[in-house]
Amino acid sequence: MSATNHLDLGETIDLPQSSAAGGLAAKPHSSEPPSNKPSSNKPHSSELPRPPDSDDRPAAVLVEGSGIGLSDQTYSLLRNRLRYTSLLLSAGLFAFFVVRLLFVNQLAATFDGVILCLHGTVTLVTAFIGWRLCRNCIYVTSHSRVTELVIFGSVGLFFALVSYSILVDGAKQGHVAATAPMWMTLIFTYALFIPNTWQRAAVVIGVMTATPILLLIIVKLTTGGLDVLITDPSYFRQGILDNVMVLLLSAAISIWGVHMVNSLRREAFEAKQLGQYQLRRRLGSGGMGEVYLAEHLMLKRRCAVKVIRPDRAGDAATLARFEREVRATAQLTHWNSVEIFDYGRAADGTFYYVMEYLPGMNLEEIVRMHGPMPQDRIVHLLSQACDALREAHDQGLIHRDIKPANIFAAHRGGIYDVAKLLDFGLAKPMNLPDDPQITQMGMISGTPHFMAPEQALGESPDERSDIYSLGVVAWYLATGRLLFEESNPLKVIMAHSQQVARPPSEFNSSLSPAFDAVILRCLEKQPDRRPQSVFELRKLLRAVPTSTGWSDEQAAQWWTCHGCPHKKKLDDAVQAGQIA
């Protein structure tokens, strides 16, 4: 079994409608529909795939740097801080490198050729790391602590050699050279930029503080030039004691600062409650809001909390749509619809609702990670989706956003591959116009790659529109490809309206002619030629001849062999006490 987020948050677009054919123009949201490109081998994070530098920010950045290990948010913060640190250090080192080149003749032995070469090398290393971090290099970003060690270790090594050279030259001239400023710069840079526990910060900063002091002792023991200075009280205080005290004070302030920052983070995290629900970590983000893994404070039950993003909180249309989604979904009681527990508004005005937490993956993730599904499994999952839609249609609700990301294969009640229908954010009563607060005049809402022709053309959709979308979903699950692979949403819409769908068996020879016939019937351009209800579609799917069907045992075996990569991370978090 695997555990991951159970919501896709609206990879939908609103398209302006024109009465003239070919006169549509639209700009999609940043999220894209599923692609048929091969999935990478990069491990999936606990949140849904999205660009690493997306502008979609969470409602609360829950940094758990003081807890056991590092959360995804802390690693993300660490990567960003390392990027800034490496670029700043490389810029500073480069500036000093230029100065040394210009005045190399006056620097004598202190900055000889070896140290000059090392200076150039460290400058290039920090600049290269900063560049790779800006490019989101998978290797560098996935080894953040190693990257941190390379950055500060290389700079620290350079500072150590420079300090030793300065101290030796000073001892020969009968004075103690000041090396504290460069180490203070490194200490405060580390404390300011790198998220840490205070214990770990104390170790690293302690090494930085001890290094110049040890170098001073080594120079005293090896050169003997500091003997007179040490025995003279005034020289000892000015040359040695002051340097050591400044370093120790800088270390103490830095470590205490790290501790204070962590305390503030922890307080902010603990204060981030919505009603009786404690937010634990973000599971996903999309066009409408964020979903967090949460825990009911009294029941100690895991659940998922969906909140409106802060940048959309002031949008009346979004709030109206959000409330409609809650009301529509809360009316549904079928086993194959996601269950709503609670709804409310926090003291700061944040809207939220609470639903069951589903271990598993949505169908888009499964296809992306493991390729097309067997025919029997498609029938098994979509038959359940039909059951959920039947209840919604009986209550007069059409979904209008059926797609693989909105159908979830969950593990519930000891049963695997329990289909859950998600995200009724675009649902509306049949035969009623859109609420003017929610959908502007001439706007078309939905996901183009899975949108029925009549919906795309701005006509009033009905339950047969959901049936068309289910047909597109089945085509995608069976082939691992999009039905129409145009990248432009408007071209996709026109293709749904005009192009005849090809049988999925052309791309997957294991599919039966009977299965092809059911899918192609769902994809008829004219609603009257499709199955007229999800009940009829379910009967057609169940009538497709199968060899063995898709049993609970087969589903359990599949999940045992192909479970989602998030399971171990989630289990470890549960054992660590981060998640109840």
Side-chain angles (χ1 to χ4, degrees):
M1 183 189 74
S2 63
T4 184
N5 174 30
H6 68 284
L7 281 186
D8 172 85
L9 292 171
E11 294 177 342
T12 62
I13 67 170
D14 291 328
L15 299 177
Q17 178 195 356
S18 172
S19 58
L24 300 176
K27 181 179 180 181
H29 293 305
S30 58
S31 299
E32 295 294 335
S35 170
N36 64 317
K37 295 180 181 180
S39 61
S40 70
N41 294 325
K42 181 181 177 182
H44 290 255
S45 65
S46 57
E47 56 186 77
L48 292 177
R50 68 190 188 119
D53 290 326
S54 170
D55 290 334
D56 294 341
R57 302 302 185 206
V61 179
L62 307 182
V63 180
E64 300 175 72
S66 60
I68 299 176
L70 289 176
S71 69
D72 289 338
Q73 291 291 347
T74 306
Y75 270 119
S76 177
L77 178 63
L78 176 59
R79 288 191 292 269
N80 288 332
R81 296 290 181 83
L82 286 175
R83 180 188 303 128
Y84 305 142
T85 301
S86 57
L87 292 176
L88 288 173
L89 286 176
S90 63
L93 289 169
F94 178 75
F96 279 98
F97 183 75
V98 172
V99 171
R100 290 174 187 174
L101 286 178
L102 294 176
F103 298 99
V104 68
N105 293 331
Q106 286 76 33
L107 296 177
T110 301
F111 300 103
D112 57 16
V114 174
I115 292 182
L116 194 64
C117 290
L118 180 61
H119 189 166
T121 301
V122 174
T123 303
L124 291 176
V125 167
T126 53
F128 176 77
I129 291 175
W131 174 69
R132 295 304 291 169
L133 286 169
C134 289
R135 301 275 296 185
N136 291 310
C137 171
I138 294 176
Y139 182 82
V140 174
T141 56
S142 62
H143 297 81
S144 299
R145 286 306 191 190
V146 175
T147 304
E148 172 195 328
L149 176 63
V150 172
I151 293 173
F152 287 94
S154 61
V155 175
L157 176 62
F158 169 66
F159 281 4
L161 293 178
V162 172
S163 297
Y164 180 77
S165 180
I166 292 176
L167 288 171
V168 169
D169 284 353
K172 292 178 181 178
Q173 298 173 19
H175 68 87
V176 178
T179 61
M182 70 176 73
W183 291 99
M184 290 170 60
T185 300
L186 194 62
I187 289 170
F188 284 121
T189 299
Y190 186 84
L192 178 64
F193 282 93
I194 306 302
N196 254 326
T197 62
W198 73 265
Q199 295 93 331
R200 189 176 186 277
V203 173
V204 177
I205 292 174
V207 172
M208 295 178 182
T209 305
T211 299
I213 298 175
L214 290 174
L215 289 173
L216 182 62
I217 295 173
I218 291 172
V219 170
K220 189 270 178 188
L221 295 176
T222 56
T223 64
L226 300 179
D227 291 343
V228 176
L229 298 178
I230 292 176
T231 57
D232 188 314
S234 61
Y235 277 111
F236 177 75
R237 182 185 63 80
Q238 296 176 5
I240 299 176
L241 187 60
D242 286 355
N243 274 327
V244 172
M245 291 298 295
V246 166
L247 286 170
L248 292 176
L249 182 60
S250 299
I253 293 174
S254 299
I255 295 169
W256 180 254
V258 171
H259 174 67
M260 290 297 296
V261 169
N262 278 340
S263 297
L264 292 174
R265 286 175 180 163
R266 189 182 305 110
E267 290 173 6
F269 176 72
E270 292 172 351
K272 193 58 186 179
Q273 289 182 205
L274 295 174
Q276 290 294 310
Y277 302 94
Q278 176 75 65
L279 303 185
R280 294 301 183 185
R281 62 184 178 89
R282 192 178 65 178
L283 294 173
S285 176
M288 186 173 169
E290 279 82 36
V291 174
Y292 290 88
L293 179 64
E295 175 188 294
H296 192 283
L297 294 178
M298 300 296 291
L299 299 177
K300 302 300 180 184
R301 177 176 64 179
R302 277 188 293 165
C303 53
V305 176
K306 184 173 181 179
V307 301
I308 283 197
R309 295 212 324 259
D311 61 334
R312 302 293 299 275
D315 184 353
T318 300
L319 294 179
R321 173 178 162 183
F322 186 82
E323 291 178 307
R324 182 174 70 180
E325 177 181 356
V326 178
R327 291 194 299 268
T329 310
Q331 295 174 26
L332 305 176
T333 59
H334 195 276
W335 167 253
N336 295 117
S337 295
V338 64
E339 183 180 359
I340 301 297
F341 296 145
D342 198 3
Y343 164 72
R345 182 186 294 190
D348 61 357
T350 300
F351 284 89
Y352 70 93
Y353 72 85
V354 186
M355 70 207 83
E356 59 181 323
Y357 174 75
L358 299 175
M361 289 185 282
N362 67 52
L363 302 191
E364 178 187 325
E365 291 177 308
I366 293 176
V367 171
R368 281 183 169 178
M369 294 173 64
H370 305 290
M373 291 185 181
Q375 174 180 301
D376 292 351
R377 190 181 190 189
I378 298 172
V379 170
H380 177 75
L381 290 168
L382 293 191
S383 296
Q384 297 177 72
C386 287
D387 290 337
L389 274 176
R390 184 182 180 186
E391 182 194 23
H393 291 170
D394 287 346
Q395 295 188 19
L397 292 173
I398 51 174
H399 191 286
R400 298 199 302 171
D401 198 21
I402 303 292
K403 56 185 175 181
N406 280 342
I407 302 175
F408 201 86
H411 177 228
R412 303 298 288 167
I415 303 174
Y416 292 87
D417 270 0
V418 175
K420 289 282 187 175
L421 187 60
L422 313 175
D423 204 345
F424 280 79
L426 296 182
K428 81 174 190 70
M430 296 184 201
N431 304 318
L432 289 180
D434 281 316
D435 187 332
Q437 277 192 295
I438 300 172
T439 304
Q440 298 177 10
M441 183 68 68
M443 301 299 290
I444 305 166
S445 297
T447 304
H449 281 280
F450 300 91
M451 189 183 295
E454 63 273 14
Q455 184 179 350
L457 295 176
E459 300 173 6
S460 180
D462 58 25
E463 60 186 349
R464 296 169 298 180
S465 304
D466 283 347
I467 290 172
Y468 181 93
S469 297
L470 278 176
V472 185
V473 170
W475 204 97
Y476 172 78
L477 300 181
T479 63
R481 305 162 61 96
L482 294 170
L483 177 59
F484 301 115
E485 296 181 331
E486 301 285 351
S487 58
N488 187 312
L490 302 179
K491 292 183 179 180
V492 174
I493 289 174
M494 297 307 296
H496 279 296
S497 302
Q498 300 173 359
Q499 293 184 26
V500 177
R502 299 165 67 182
S505 59
E506 290 187 16
F507 303 93
N508 184 349
S509 59
S510 67
L511 302 176
S512 68
F515 183 81
D516 267 355
V518 174
I519 301 310
L520 292 178
R521 186 175 170 190
C522 291
L523 297 177
E524 289 284 354
K525 307 301 180 187
Q526 297 299 322
D528 290 340
R529 302 182 65 180
R530 302 172 200 155
Q532 298 301 292
S533 69
V534 287
F535 179 71
E536 180 183 350
L537 174 57
R538 186 185 188 280
K539 289 200 303 183
L540 292 173
L541 287 170
R542 288 297 184 182
V544 172
T546 62
S547 54
T548 59
W550 185 258
S551 65
D552 292 342
E553 291 75 15
Q554 286 176 294
Q557 183 179 8
W558 188 92
W559 281 101
T560 301
C561 297
H562 302 90
C564 178
H566 309 318
K567 182 179 186 298
K568 185 178 186 302
K569 176 189 285 189
L570 187 63
D571 289 345
D572 290 344
V574 172
Q575 293 175 6
Q578 297 174 3
I579 303 171

